[in-house]
Amino acid sequence: MKLLSTLLAMLPLTACGTMTTLSHSDREVADKLKRANTNCQALPRVYSGVSYDMCKLNSNSESINFNWLLGIYLLDSVASAATDTIALPATIYRQNENGNLRIN
C-alpha cells in the first residue's frame, strides 16, 4: 500500500510532454516549442507527448544542457508513451478532426 501511495504521488511528475500537449491549447504548445527554438514544423496529436519531448530535444536552444536534460527527456518519453497510449482514443479523434498541430 505504501508503494502504491508513493507511485500515485509521483504520477504528476511524469509524462510532462503528454500533460502539456493534452492540457494546453494548440497555440500555447506551439509557443513553448517556438521559445525552445525547435526544428520541428508540426506535432502529431497521436503520441504527442513523446513527439513533444523529441521536439524539445531537437532544438537550437543553447540553454539546454544535454548531459542531464537528455536523461530527463528520455525518462519522460517513456512515461509519456504510456500516458499517450491511454489517451489514444481521444488523440486519434483529435488527429482526424484537426490534423497535426502546426508550430510555425
Side-chain angles (χ1 to χ4, degrees):
M1 187 65 165
K2 200 175 207 181
L3 177 64
L4 180 63
S5 299
T6 304
L7 291 174
L8 287 175
M10 290 175 59
L11 188 62
L13 302 175
T14 61
C16 295
T18 302
M19 292 304 148
T20 299
T21 57
L22 293 180
S23 65
H24 292 84
S25 71
D26 290 355
R27 183 177 178 153
E28 290 172 324
V29 173
D31 286 344
K32 285 182 182 201
L33 289 172
K34 283 180 190 176
R35 278 194 300 271
N37 295 324
T38 185
N39 294 319
C40 296
Q41 300 297 315
L43 193 70
R45 296 182 195 277
V46 177
Y47 286 94
S48 60
V50 175
S51 298
Y52 180 84
D53 287 340
M54 293 305 114
C55 282
K56 290 283 275 193
L57 283 174
N58 187 22
S59 68
N60 296 327
S61 179
E62 295 174 3
S63 65
I64 292 180
N65 182 353
F66 282 104
N67 293 334
W68 65 274
L69 237 138
L70 179 64
I72 291 174
Y73 279 118
L74 292 177
L75 218 89
D76 187 64
S77 293
V78 172
S80 290
T83 309
D84 283 339
T85 301
I86 293 169
L88 212 50
T91 56
I92 289 172
Y93 175 78
R94 287 185 67 199
Q95 181 73 39
N96 285 332
E97 289 295 312
N98 303 323
N100 288 341
L101 187 151
R102 297 280 172 216
I103 296 170
N104 291 333

